Amino acid sequence: MGIRFIFGRAGTGKSRFCLEQIKKKIENYDSQNKLILIVPEQYTFDTEKKFLDIVTEKGLLRGEVLSFKRMAHRVSEECGGRTELRISDAGRNMLIYKLLKDKVDELQYFNRMAKQQGFSSIISKIITEFKKYNISTEILSSKEEEINDEELKKKMNDLKLIYNNFNNILHKNFIDSDDELTFLAKRLKGCNTYDDAEIWIDEFTTFTPQQLEVIKVLAKKAKVVNITLCSDSLSGGADVDYTDIFDAIKILKTLY
């Protein structure tokens, strides 16, 4: 159990290296553990084609290409949560629109803006960012207490009110797609689907706190988690800036 980092400049073959490693594991028949390659959602189709080209069809019995969201669906099917209804984007916007309409008199700063066309979409994007970065209403409350600017405090209070009511109403009957990775991290703790698996995480330029939490749980349950990191500056010159890479390592080491 642990994390291994694979460094390389852009275009030096990190992705192919991951696929070759999976191919080698399958050909050696050294064990029957799962071999999982995780890539961003938009890269899954191209990566699956490369997987078939390099690993070939025989690798499909043990190997699989997933995104974090695909993994969330797989775990919910195998470990509970399959019956939960996911609200559509249209339904989400309608809920926010109704919420703004019902709570307009309680809003201190956004009461006028709430009636404007397109404001519900702006709030929807803000809620998405809150969930992506694990911002809870408790965190918003604690930060609100530190703010001295009255106008900013009113904005924060309104966002907290909207966010809290949105979650309370939504979670009675549905789950939000933005909550899927949060639920994935929780379900993985009590699920043995990826116990002793070997995992490769590729093509990511950065990780959100939600994704890092999933990686933290996977690192404790899997045999090893391999993460590719892109570096165009490995020459060791005096002007080389390693900040981004070492920040990523520092975050993951702190989590694990």
Side-chain angles (χ1 to χ4, degrees), residues 39-240:
V39 296
E41 189 76 34
Q42 65 270 27
Y43 294 143
T44 51
F45 181 70
D46 286 340
T47 305
E48 282 173 340
K49 289 199 297 183
K50 292 175 185 175
F51 184 94
L52 288 173
D53 289 341
I54 296 172
V55 183
T56 70
E57 291 87 347
K58 66 180 181 181
L60 295 176
L61 291 175
R62 284 179 61 200
E64 188 175 16
V65 176
L66 296 172
S67 65
F68 281 112
K69 287 211 168 184
R70 280 193 190 182
M71 178 177 277
H73 295 164
R74 184 65 48 79
V75 169
S76 68
E77 286 178 356
E78 296 182 13
C79 304
R82 190 179 180 182
T83 57
E84 292 171 337
L85 295 174
R86 286 169 177 77
I87 194 167
S88 65
D89 290 340
R92 191 176 196 262
N93 286 332
M94 287 173 66
L95 175 58
I96 293 172
Y97 178 80
K98 184 179 185 304
L99 185 58
L100 290 171
K101 187 178 178 181
D102 292 344
K103 298 292 180 181
V104 66
D105 293 334
E106 297 179 41
L107 300 177
Q108 300 176 41
Y109 186 86
F110 295 123
N111 53 344
R112 290 184 181 179
M113 298 177 195
K115 300 173 184 177
Q116 295 179 3
Q117 187 176 359
F119 187 70
S120 58
S121 295
I122 294 171
I123 293 297
S124 180
K125 290 176 183 177
I126 292 172
I127 289 174
T128 292
E129 292 300 303
F130 281 165
K131 294 191 175 186
K132 192 183 292 183
Y133 291 93
N134 289 339
I135 304 298
S136 64
T137 52
E138 289 76 20
I139 291 174
L140 292 178
S141 294
S142 66
K143 292 301 176 185
E144 185 184 353
E145 293 173 3
E146 300 172 9
I147 297 172
N148 295 320
D149 186 297
E150 285 302 315
E151 194 171 88
L152 183 57
K153 186 171 280 191
K154 287 178 181 178
K155 290 180 184 178
M156 186 74 81
N157 185 72
D158 284 358
L159 289 173
K160 184 179 66 174
L161 173 70
I162 295 166
Y163 188 33
N164 187 52
N165 279 276
F166 173 81
N167 283 329
N168 288 341
I169 295 170
L170 177 74
H171 292 158
K172 288 179 182 178
N173 300 303
F174 300 93
I175 66 165
D176 189 356
S177 60
D178 291 327
D179 289 321
E180 286 181 325
L181 298 193
T182 300
F183 290 143
L184 171 61
K186 291 177 181 177
R187 286 176 181 140
L188 278 172
K189 293 175 183 177
C191 179
N192 60 6
T193 300
Y194 298 108
D195 286 7
D196 296 320
E198 292 185 59
I199 298 170
W200 288 260
I201 301 175
D202 187 35
E203 299 281 11
F204 288 87
T205 54
T206 186
F207 297 103
T208 66
Q210 274 186 325
Q211 292 168 340
L212 286 171
E213 191 62 31
V214 173
I215 293 171
K216 172 186 173 181
V217 179
L218 286 173
K220 291 179 178 179
K221 299 180 80 67
K223 185 176 181 181
V224 64
V225 175
N226 305 276
I227 302 173
T228 65
L229 294 174
C230 183
S231 171
D232 289 327
S233 303
L234 291 177
S235 59
D239 296 327
V240 175

